[in-house]
C-alpha cells in the first residue's frame, strides 16, 4: 500500500507540475493552484473508483442478473452521467459556489465573535480517532441524505427533476450518478449546508470513500443479491434499493429511501424488507425522453418539467 | 554505504558527537503532522489535527511549537522535543502567523476570510480585526515592530499596517499573486507567485524599487541562519534560488522537482524543504545542491527542525519518550532563521550554480508504527 500511495502521489504530482500548474500560471490563476491540486486528486481518484466499481460490479451483474440487458444505449447514457460526476465537472461548479459561501459564512461568524464548530470539539474522544470521527461524519451526512431523498420524492417540483434518476428501466451500477444537473446542485447545497454546520474533514480517507462509493454503485447494480437478514439492516443492498426503484414505488409512494444505511428507513417507517422482491424499475407517467433520451434530451426534459411543476401545471 | 547514511549511522553509535533532529511537517491536505527523525530519515509519528494545517512558529518563550489549523479554527501547541500535544486553543482561521520582534503582538492572516488579526502576544486577546482586500497571505514585521507588512494575494499588493494605530498605512502594487514576504536590509522582499521575480520594496518610500528574477512561481524567501544567503522557492519552475542578501545577485540555482515551498534549517546548515505536489520533503546540501527526499503526507507546507541528541523512538501508541533537555537556550528567532548550533558551511563554498539531483531516499517507507497494513493505508 505504501508503494501505491507513493506512486499515486508521484502521478498526481507529475500531472500537476507538467500540465496543470503551468496552465494556471499562464492564465494568471496561481492563487487557485492549491485548489486545483486538490481537484486533480479528486478527479484522478474518481477515475480510479470508476475502475474499481466496474471490476467489482460488472462480474456480479454477469453472474446473477435480475433482468437481461435489452437497452445498451440507456446504459451508455448512465455512463456519461457517471464520468461527468466522477471527473469533477459538475462537482467543480458546486465546489466553487460552496467555497465562496463557506468563506462568507465563516467570515460572518467570526465577525460576530463566533467560531464554526466541528464534531470533534463536541465529542473530544473523536480527536484521537480520526477514523471513528470520519465514520460519525458519514452517519450524520447519510442521515441528511435520507431526508433529502424524502424531499426529492415528496415535493412535486423536486420529483420533476428526480424522476430522471427513476425513469431508467435498465438499471445497472452505472445508474447511481444519473441525476439532473439542478438536482446535483441542490444535492451539493444540501450536503454543503450540513457540512457548514458540522464541519467536514478533508478527504484523507480515500479507502473509506472508495468503500462508500462501491456500496452506492452496488445498490443500483443489476444483480439478484440480498445481504441476508442482518446485512440488509446494516447496508443498503441491490435488493433493498431495487425495490425503491420499482415502478410502484415512484414519487411520493416510495419505500427504502436510505442511501447507505437502511436504519433510517427502519426508524421512520419507510422500510420494505421483502427480501424476495425484485420489481421492474422505472417511473410510469414520466415522458419517454426521460427514460430513453440521451443526456441532453433528459436534461432538457427535466428543466421543462420543473418549470411546469413550479407553475402549478406539472 | 553512502557517506551521508554512514555518518548518520556513526552518529547513532556515538551519541554526543553529532546532533539529531526531529522535523515537523504540516500535511495541509492530510489533516496531520508528520514527525520525521532526521537520523533514520523516516517518519516516526503522525499526529492527527482537525482540518488543515499550514504554518507553525515557536511561542515567545520558545518552549512550544504553535501550529495553526486554519480549517479547524484551532492552535495546537506541541512540545518540540517530544512531539507531544500539550494544549489546544480555539482560534479564528490561523493561516500565516508571526510574533512581532518586540514580543508584544501576534499577527495572523486569514487567507480565506480576508482578515488580518492583531492579538496581544501573551494573552491572545484580539486587539483588532482588519478587513483587507483579497486573500491576505504572508506577513513580516519591521525590526522596530511598528509595522506589519501583509501580501494580498488576490489584490497584487503589499500592505503596511501601522501596529500602533492598528490600521493600514499604505499599500503598493508588487505584481500578480504576491506570497512570501521578509524584511532584509531595510527593504521588503516579496515572492511574486504569479510571475518569476522577487519584488524589492522600499518601505520608507512605499515604492517598488526593482525586481529580481528567480524563476516562475516565485513563492517564499528564507534567510539562511548564518546571514550569508537568502533562499527563494519557485513553485512553477520548481527550484530554489540562492541570493546574496546584500546585492540580491543570484549565487546558485537548484532544480528541486515537486514544488518547493517552506524551508527550515538544521544545525548542520542543510535545508529541509517541503515539496507541495509530491507528498515529500527534500533535504538539500547547500554546498552541492544535492537533495534527498523523504515521503510525508499530502501537500506538505510548514516545516520546523528541532535539534535533539537522541533518535526518536518509533512508538506512536506506546508511551512517549520522557522529555529530554531541549536546546531551547540556543533556539532560533523563528523557524526560518534557525540558529545553527554548529558552524554552518559558508554558502560561498558553492558560488557556481549546481544542478541538483533529487534522489529518493533508500529507506523511505514509513515505519511500521500503524500496526497493520490496513491501518497504514487508512492513515493516509
Amino acid at each position: 500500500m505504501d508503494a501505491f500511495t507513493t506512486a499515486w502521489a508521484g502521478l498526481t504530482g507529475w500531472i500537476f507540475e507538467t500540465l496543470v500548474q503551468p496552465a494556471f500560471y499562464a492564465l494568471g490563476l496561481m492563487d487557485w493552484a492549491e485548489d486545483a491540486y486538490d481537484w486533480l486528486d479528486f478527479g484522478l481518484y474518481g477515475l480510479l473508483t470508476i475502475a474499481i466499481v466496474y471490476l467489482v460490479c460488472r462480474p456480479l451483474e454477469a453472474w446473477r442478473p435480475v433482468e437481461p440487458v435489452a437497452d445498451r444505449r440507456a446504459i451508455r447514457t448512465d455512463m456519461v452521467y457517471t464520468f461527468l460526476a466522477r471527473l469533477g465537472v459538475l462537482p467543480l461548479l458546486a465546489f466553487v459556489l460552496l467555497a465562496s459561501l463557506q468563506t462568507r459564512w465563516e467570515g460572518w461568524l467570526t465577525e460576530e465573535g463566533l467560531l464554526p464548530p466541528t464534531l470533534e470539539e463536541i465529542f473530544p474522544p473523536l480527536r484521537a480517532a480520526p477514523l471513528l470521527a470520519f465514520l460519525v461524519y458519514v452517519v450524520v451526512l447519510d442521515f441528511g441524505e435520507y431526508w433529502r431523498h424524502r424531499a426529492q420524492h415528496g415535493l412535486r417540483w423536486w420529483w420533476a427533476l428526480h424522476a430522471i434518476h427513476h425513469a431508467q428501466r435498465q438499471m445497472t451500477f452505472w445508474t447511481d450518478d444519473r441525476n439532473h444537473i439542478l438536482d446535483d446542485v441542490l444535492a451539493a447545497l444540501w450536503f454543503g449546508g450540513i457540512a457548514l454546520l458540522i464541519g467536514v474533514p478533508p478527504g484523507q480517507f480515500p479507502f473509506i470513500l472508495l468503500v462508500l462509493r462501491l456500496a452506492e454503485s452496488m445498490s443500483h447494480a443489476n444483480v439478484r443479491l440480498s445481504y441476508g437478514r442482518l446485512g440488509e439492516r446494516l447496508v443498503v443492498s441491490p435488493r433493498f434499493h431495487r425495490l425503491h426503484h420499482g415502478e410502484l414505488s415512484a414519487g411520493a409512494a416510495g419505500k427504502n429511501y436510505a442511501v447507505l444505511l437502511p436504519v433510517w428507513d427502519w426508524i421512520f417507517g419507510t422500510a420494505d424488507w421483502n427480501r424476495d422482491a425484485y420489481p421492474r424499475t422505472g417511473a410510469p407517467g414520466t415522458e419517454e425522453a426521460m427514460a430513453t433520451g440521451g443526456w441532453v434530451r433528459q436534461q432538457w426534459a427535466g428543466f421543462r418539467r420543473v418549470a411546469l411543476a413550479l407553475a402549478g401545471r406539472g | 554505504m553512502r557517506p551521508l547514511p554512514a555518518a548518520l549511522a556513526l552518529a547513532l553509535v556515538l551519541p554526543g558527537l553529532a546532533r539529531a533532529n526531529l522535523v515537523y511537517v504540516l500535511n495541509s491536505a492530510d489533516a496531520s503532522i508528520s514527525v520525521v527523525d532526521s537520523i533514520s530519515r523516516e517518519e516516526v509519528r503522525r499526529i492527527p489535527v482537525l482540518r488543515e494545517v499550514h504554518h507553525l512558529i515557536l511561542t515567545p518563550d520558545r518552549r512550544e511549537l504553535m501550529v495553526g489549523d486554519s480549517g479547524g479554527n484551532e492552535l495546537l501547541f506541541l512540545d518540540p522535543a517530544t512531539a507531544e500535544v500539550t494544549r489546544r486553543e480555539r482560534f479564528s482561521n490561523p493561516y500565516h502567523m508571526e510574533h512581532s520582534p518586540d514580543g508584544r503582538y501576534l499577527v495572523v492572516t486569514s487567507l480565506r476570510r480576508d482578515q488580518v488579526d492583531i492579538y496581544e502576544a501573551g494573552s491572545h486577546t484580539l486587539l483588532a480585526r482588519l478587513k483587507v482586500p483579497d486573500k491576505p497571505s504572508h506577513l513580516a514585521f519591521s525590526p522596530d515592530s511598528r509595522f506589519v507588512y501583509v501580501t494580498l494575494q488576490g489584490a497584487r499588493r503589499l500592505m503596511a499596517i501601522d501596529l500602533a494605530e492598528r490600521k493600514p498605512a499604505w499599500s503598493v502594487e508588487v505584481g500578480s499573486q504576491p506570497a512570501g514576504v521578509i524584511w532584509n536590509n531595510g527593504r521588503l522582499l516579496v515572492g511574486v507567485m504569479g510571475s518569476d521575480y522577487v519584488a524589492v520594496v522600499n518601505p520608507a518610500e512605499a515604492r517598488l524599487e526593482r525586481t529580481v528574477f528567480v524563476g516562475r512561481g516565485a513563492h517564499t524567501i528564507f534567510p539562511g541562519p548564518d546571514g550569508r544567503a537568502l533562499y527563494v522557492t519557485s513553485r512553477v519552475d520548481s527550484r530554489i534560488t540562492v541570493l546574496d542578501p546584500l546585492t540580491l545577485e543570484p549565487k546558485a540555482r537548484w532544480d528541486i522537482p515537486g514544488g518547493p515551498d517552506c524551508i527550515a534549517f538544521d544545525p548542520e546548515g542543510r535545508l529541509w524543504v517541503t515539496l507541495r505536489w509530491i507528498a515529500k520533503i527534500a533535504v538539500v546540501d547547500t554546498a552541492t545542491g544535492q537533495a534527498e527526499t523523504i515521503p510525508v503526507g499530502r501537500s506538505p507546507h510548514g516545516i520546523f527542525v528541532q535539534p535533539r541528541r537522541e533518535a526518536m523512538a518509533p512508538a506512536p501508541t506506546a508511551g512517549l519518550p520522557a522529555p529530554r533537555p531541549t536546546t531551547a537556550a540556543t533556539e532560533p528567532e523563528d523557524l526560518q532563521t534557525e540558529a545553527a548550533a554548529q558552524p554552518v558551511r559558508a554558502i560561498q563554498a558553492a558560488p557556481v550554480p549546481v544542478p541538483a539531483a533529487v534522489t529518493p531516499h533508500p529507506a523511505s517507507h514509513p515505519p511500521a508504527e500503524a500496526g497493520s497494513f490496513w491501518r497504514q493505508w487508512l492513515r493516509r
Side-chain angles (χ1 to χ4, degrees):
Chain A
M1 278 304 167
D2 283 341
F4 170 78
T5 51
T6 303
W8 185 260
L11 174 70
T12 52
W14 183 82
I15 294 175
F16 183 80
E17 285 202 284
T18 313
L19 302 172
V20 180
Q21 189 173 237
F24 272 63
Y25 181 83
L27 293 169
L29 294 171
M30 277 300 285
D31 53 341
W32 288 95
E34 285 154 34
D35 303 276
Y37 174 75
D38 291 342
W39 204 256
L40 175 70
D41 220 22
F42 177 89
L44 288 176
Y45 198 72
L47 265 184
L48 182 72
T49 55
I50 290 175
I52 292 176
V53 163
Y54 181 86
L55 288 174
V56 172
C57 293
R58 189 68 197 89
L60 286 171
E61 288 193 341
W63 172 50
R64 287 182 69 187
V66 173
E67 58 195 1
V69 173
D71 187 354
R72 295 200 178 275
R73 190 164 170 271
I75 296 175
R76 281 198 293 274
T77 303
D78 284 359
M79 289 180 181
V80 173
Y81 278 103
T82 300
F83 280 93
L84 281 175
R86 288 305 123 205
L87 295 187
V89 180
L90 298 179
L92 178 61
L93 298 174
F95 176 80
V96 170
L97 196 65
L98 284 172
S100 60
L101 200 68
Q102 183 176 17
T103 302
R104 283 168 190 272
W105 159 258
E106 292 189 350
W108 177 81
L109 275 182
T110 47
E111 299 283 345
E112 299 296 313
L114 301 167
L115 287 179
T118 59
L119 274 186
E120 291 94 324
E121 283 153 345
I122 300 166
F123 304 108
L126 295 179
R127 281 179 178 282
L131 178 60
L132 183 62
F134 183 82
L135 292 177
V136 173
Y137 277 103
V138 168
V139 171
V140 172
L141 291 167
D142 191 57
F143 180 63
E145 290 298 279
Y146 171 81
W147 283 104
R148 179 173 67 85
H149 201 178
R150 290 284 297 265
Q152 283 176 315
H153 284 254
L155 300 172
R156 281 175 66 83
W157 63 269
W158 208 341
W159 170 249
L161 296 171
H162 188 56
I164 286 181
H165 182 72
H166 278 266
Q168 177 61 286
R169 293 190 292 262
Q170 186 72 70
M171 193 170 86
T172 66
F173 66 93
W174 293 104
T175 308
D176 189 25
D177 290 309
R178 176 193 174 100
N179 293 301
H180 193 272
I181 190 166
L182 277 182
D183 209 2
D184 275 335
V185 170
L186 289 170
L189 288 174
W190 182 286
F191 193 90
I194 297 172
L196 285 184
L197 287 175
I198 63 172
V200 166
Q204 73 268 44
F205 294 95
F207 183 68
I208 291 288
L209 292 174
L210 175 62
V211 171
L212 298 182
R213 179 96 209 105
L214 191 56
E216 289 181 30
S217 292
M218 180 79 106
S219 70
H220 290 90
N222 175 23
V223 55
R224 194 171 289 274
L225 185 63
S226 153
Y227 292 164
R229 193 174 184 78
L230 180 63
E232 284 283 299
R233 282 160 175 78
L234 295 178
V235 180
V236 169
S237 71
R239 194 286 313 167
F240 188 90
H241 200 64
R242 184 161 286 264
L243 207 141
H244 171 74
H245 275 261
E247 285 179 339
L248 295 177
S249 189
K255 288 283 182 187
N256 296 4
Y257 290 98
V259 175
L260 182 72
L261 305 170
V263 68
W264 312 124
D265 283 303
W266 207 355
I267 293 172
F268 298 106
T270 47
D272 186 334
W273 303 109
N274 181 357
R275 284 195 280 129
D276 297 324
Y278 290 87
R280 288 168 56 85
T281 62
T286 54
E287 57 200 270
E288 187 57 22
M290 283 188 140
T292 54
W295 188 86
V296 174
R297 278 186 71 202
Q298 289 184 12
Q299 294 295 310
W300 176 246
F303 279 122
R304 212 164 51 81
R305 269 176 58 99
V306 76
L308 289 171
L310 286 171
R313 293 192 284 134
Chain B
M1 193 180 247
R2 297 166 62 189
L4 187 59
L8 292 170
L10 191 66
L12 275 172
V13 177
L14 302 170
L17 288 184
R19 300 166 68 89
N21 303 303
L22 277 189
V23 183
Y24 293 86
V25 183
L26 308 188
N27 303 317
S28 65
D30 248 358
S32 66
I33 302 169
S34 291
V35 184
V36 175
D37 187 323
S38 73
I39 290 181
S40 63
R41 298 278 170 105
E42 283 186 350
E43 184 175 335
V44 290
R45 188 163 304 173
R46 195 167 282 205
I47 303 168
V49 300
L50 283 179
R51 296 290 178 270
E52 193 178 323
V53 279
H54 285 282
H55 290 284
L56 74 177
I57 54 174
L58 282 169
T59 51
D61 63 9
R62 305 187 184 176
R63 292 186 176 181
E64 291 176 303
L65 260 183
M66 199 164 93
V67 180
D69 185 339
S70 58
N73 293 300
E74 189 167 83
L75 287 178
L76 272 91
F77 295 83
L78 297 171
D79 180 340
T82 63
E84 183 186 0
V85 177
T86 52
R87 60 197 167 99
R88 296 184 170 93
E89 185 182 323
R90 295 279 282 150
F91 204 91
S92 174
N93 197 225
Y95 181 69
H96 192 238
M97 55 195 176
E98 295 285 357
H99 290 105
S100 59
D102 64 4
R104 285 181 64 191
Y105 301 109
L106 168 68
V107 178
V108 176
T109 53
S110 293
L111 182 88
R112 293 186 196 277
R113 294 185 196 157
D114 299 343
Q115 293 166 344
V116 176
D117 293 339
I118 303 170
Y119 294 88
E120 199 276 315
S123 63
H124 289 182
T125 304
L126 182 64
L127 302 173
R129 172 162 288 152
L130 280 73
K131 195 80 181 164
V132 299
D134 215 7
K135 293 184 179 168
S137 179
H138 289 62
L139 64 97
F141 290 93
S142 59
D144 63 2
S145 300
R146 174 78 196 276
F147 292 97
V148 62
Y149 306 96
V150 178
T151 52
L152 303 174
Q153 219 175 73
R156 304 173 61 90
R157 304 185 81 80
L158 175 73
M159 173 185 271
I161 296 168
D162 186 327
L163 284 171
E165 303 278 330
R166 291 171 200 161
K167 62 182 187 187
W170 50 265
S171 77
V172 62
E173 182 162 341
V174 290
S176 175
Q177 290 117 37
V181 55
I182 62 163
W183 179 279
N184 179 66
N185 291 328
R187 298 291 184 271
L188 289 156
L189 306 183
V190 181
V192 180
M193 189 165 57
S195 192
D196 54 12
Y197 60 82
V198 170
V200 184
V201 172
N202 181 337
E205 299 173 11
R207 187 170 61 84
L208 174 65
E209 274 187 347
R210 65 182 174 121
T211 61
V212 177
F213 171 81
V214 288
R216 294 180 304 157
H219 192 61
T220 42
I221 306 131
F222 296 87
D226 59 357
R228 293 180 179 180
L230 300 173
Y231 300 93
V232 188
T233 53
S234 298
R235 291 210 309 210
V236 179
D237 279 337
S238 223
R239 71 163 63 137
I240 294 175
T241 306
V242 187
L243 297 180
D244 183 299
L246 292 174
T247 65
L248 301 183
E249 289 297 316
K251 294 160 48 158
R253 285 200 179 98
W254 305 319
D255 291 327
I256 313 283
D261 198 313
C262 282
I263 299 175
F265 301 88
D266 72 14
E268 285 74 38
R270 285 182 296 256
L271 272 53
W272 291 72
V273 187
T274 47
L275 303 177
R276 254 341 243 287
W277 316 130
I278 56 171
K280 289 179 179 176
I281 55 173
V283 192
V284 183
D285 184 330
T286 54
T288 63
Q290 292 286 314
E292 288 187 59
T293 60
I294 303 167
V296 290
R298 289 175 60 236
S299 201
H301 195 181
I303 185 165
F304 180 90
V305 174
Q306 167 71 16
R308 286 167 57 92
R309 291 191 181 278
E310 297 166 43
M312 183 81 168
T317 50
L320 292 173
R324 298 180 172 88
T326 66
T327 52
T330 58
E331 281 301 296
E333 283 299 313
D334 60 44
L335 74 162
Q336 283 88 31
T337 56
E338 185 125 335
Q342 293 185 351
V344 176
R345 238 180 298 212
I347 192 70
Q348 280 89 334
V352 185
V354 182
V358 177
T359 49
H361 191 267
S364 60
H365 294 294
E369 57 161 305
S372 66
F373 143 93
W374 66 271
R375 283 188 65 187
Q376 287 221 14
W377 167 225
L378 288 178
R379 205 180 48 165
R380 298 210 22 101

